[in-house]
Amino acid sequence: MKRNLLLLCVALVIATVGYTQKFPSTDKSPMDMAYFPDNFAHDRKGDDKAIIRVSYSRPSKSGREIFGKLVPYGKVWRMGANEAAEIKFYQDVDFGGKKVAAGTYSLFGIPGEKEWTIILSNDLDYWGAYSYNEKNDVLRVTAPVIALSDALENFSIVFDKKGAGKGTMKLGWDKGGAEVAFTY
């Protein structure tokens, strides 16, 4: 009886060790979120409610030429990597000079040498821009190209407050990007 119990315990240990969970390696383009206003700022007073949130993946430059090469000019881009970026407006805003209703949208861009077209789409929850359908655009705005003095290794989205009820969303990677003004 003791021998059978010992064999059973050894078998359970071997089965448990052989069945360990394998976790995937770290994603090369990790997910991130950008908020306006930055609700995670250390000097936050606690009374600022989020106006905008962007969820996106942050690909690395990794020595590659970005705009005009990896991200071609004149073609729809998912604003990051992996799943299409999503932007949530917690209230109605004026985005790039056009009214947009509170809600969640996919965020796309068409980079150009002088300006970008920023696109909000009703299509949600899909990978990349391969299924992008212009018929589902909510709005398109043009945004001036910005030059960055220091190259950004990872694609990034940040918000700047520009006074009462005004802000700017900046998209940057490598030595360039674009910015969109908004009011709320």
Side-chain angles (χ1 to χ4, degrees), residues 25 28 32 35-36 57 59 76 80 108 112 123 128 130 147 150 157 175:
S25 62
K28 293 182 194 297
D32 202 355
Y35 281 90
F36 179 82
S57 290
V76 173
F108 295 99
D123 279 341
Y130 305 106
D150 296 320
I157 299 175
K175 290 222 172 218

Side-chain angles (χ1 to χ4, degrees), residues 129-160:
Y130 305 106
S131 301
Y132 169 77
N133 186 343
E134 187 175 345
K135 291 178 186 174
N136 296 319
D137 288 0
V138 173
L139 68 77
R140 285 178 170 227
V141 297
T142 56
V145 166
I146 57 172
L148 304 174
S149 55
D150 296 320
L152 284 172
E153 177 62 25
N154 293 86
F155 175 67
S156 299
I157 299 175
V158 296
F159 291 99
D160 286 333

Side-chain angles (χ1 to χ4, degrees), residues 19-177:
Y19 185 71
T20 58
Q21 178 68 40
K22 300 213 183 236
F23 288 93
S25 62
T26 304
D27 193 343
K28 293 182 194 297
S29 299
M31 292 290 292
D32 202 355
M33 287 190 183
Y35 281 90
F36 179 82
D38 183 357
N39 289 339
F40 301 105
H42 296 292
D43 61 350
R44 181 175 177 242
K45 301 195 182 1
D47 54 354
D48 290 334
K49 291 184 179 179
I51 307 293
I52 304 171
R53 181 190 74 204
V54 179
S55 303
Y56 66 108
S57 290
R58 299 186 67 199
S60 297
K61 179 175 166 37
S62 300
R64 301 175 289 185
E65 188 177 337
I66 302 302
F67 296 113
K69 276 288 213 182
L70 180 66
V71 178
Y73 291 131
K75 292 194 176 183
V76 173
W77 178 48
R78 61 186 153 199
M79 296 292 201
N82 304 327
E83 293 82 11
E86 287 187 0
I87 186 166
K88 180 175 184 173
F89 296 95
Y90 291 90
Q91 66 185 49
D92 296 352
V93 300
D94 183 292
F95 186 76
K98 295 184 179 179
K99 300 285 185 204
V100 64
T104 303
Y105 308 93
S106 287
L107 176 65
F108 295 99
I110 302 174
E113 292 183 62
K114 304 266 187 227
E115 65 182 18
W116 287 20
T117 300
I118 307 298
I119 304 165
L120 302 183
S121 171
N122 276 324
D123 279 341
L124 295 172
D125 301 319
Y126 63 89
W127 199 88
Y130 305 106
S131 301
Y132 169 77
N133 186 343
E134 187 175 345
K135 291 178 186 174
N136 296 319
D137 288 0
V138 173
L139 68 77
R140 285 178 170 227
V141 297
T142 56
V145 166
I146 57 172
L148 304 174
S149 55
D150 296 320
L152 284 172
E153 177 62 25
N154 293 86
F155 175 67
S156 299
I157 299 175
V158 296
F159 291 99
D160 286 333
K161 193 166 188 167
K162 297 292 184 184
K166 296 179 184 179
T168 303
M169 179 177 75
K170 294 182 180 182
L171 310 123
W173 195 12
D174 194 9
K175 290 222 172 218

